[in-house]
Amino acid sequence: MRQNLPITQRERTFPSEQRLISATNTAGIIQYCNQAFVDISGFTEAEFLGQPHNIVRHPDMPKAVFEDMWRYLKAGKCWMGVVKNRCKNGDYYWVNAYVTPILLDQRVVGYESVRARPSAEQVARAQALYAQQKKWEN
């Protein structure tokens, strides 16, 4: 699994009405990102385009979360979950991600992720669950 470093203990937030949007090809390579995603992450659009989406993967995230996501997506289904992402400088931000397959002529050609700010309760539940899952990984 990709290990993105450095990490800090500083959380970034974004307005609840803002949406962070990106699209990838079927291999998870970023093809599009909106300015809100660029702004919160600290990466530039040029640094994102052509890179694996896991460039923002935070080391606190269990592998099982992404295995579950890919299982759904490869079956042509949508996936939704709370995810902790890493900023370029190591800060982090939480998102409620909704990822959908992009279809062209009945064939999956990529994936689109629309992310919103999760509630404090959603983050607390995710943190507790992910801490347990990380223990099981080790």
Side-chain angles (χ1 to χ4, degrees):
M1 183 166 90
R2 182 182 187 121
Q3 186 69 276
N4 292 325
L5 297 172
I7 58 168
T8 71
Q9 299 305 311
R10 288 184 305 267
E11 181 175 8
R12 290 190 186 183
T13 62
F14 55 96
S16 59
E17 69 277 359
Q18 195 169 57
R19 299 297 176 261
L20 314 180
I21 301 171
S22 59
T24 70
N25 64 16
T26 56
I29 304 300
I30 300 171
Q31 308 291 301
Y32 167 81
C33 57
N34 73 347
Q35 191 61 46
F37 185 34
V38 167
D39 292 344
I40 190 74
S41 71
F43 289 93
T44 65
E45 181 182 27
E47 289 173 309
F48 269 145
L49 298 179
Q51 294 301 309
H53 204 284
N54 66 9
I55 193 171
V56 295
R57 181 175 290 173
H58 195 283
D60 288 352
M61 288 299 298
K63 291 185 296 188
V65 173
F66 298 105
E67 290 168 354
D68 181 63
M69 179 192 74
W70 281 110
R71 185 171 39 256
Y72 270 78
L73 293 175
K74 288 181 178 182
K77 299 177 183 176
C78 300
W79 181 88
M80 188 171 194
V82 176
V83 177
K84 184 177 186 179
N85 281 338
R86 182 190 159 278
C87 302
K88 182 179 179 179
N89 72 350
D91 294 351
Y92 69 92
Y93 59 100
W94 285 95
V95 298
N96 193 352
Y98 185 66
V99 187
T100 61
I102 300 170
L103 300 174
L104 179 64
D105 297 326
Q106 310 269 332
R107 187 174 57 92
V108 175
V109 295
Y111 306 100
E112 181 178 66
S113 180
V114 178
R115 297 170 299 278
R117 190 175 81 196
S119 69
E121 294 80 18
Q122 289 172 315
V123 169
R125 279 195 311 270
Q127 283 177 309
L129 175 64
Y130 296 165
Q132 284 298 318
Q133 288 180 324
K134 287 296 281 187
K135 285 181 189 177
W136 297 330
E137 282 181 9
N138 299 326

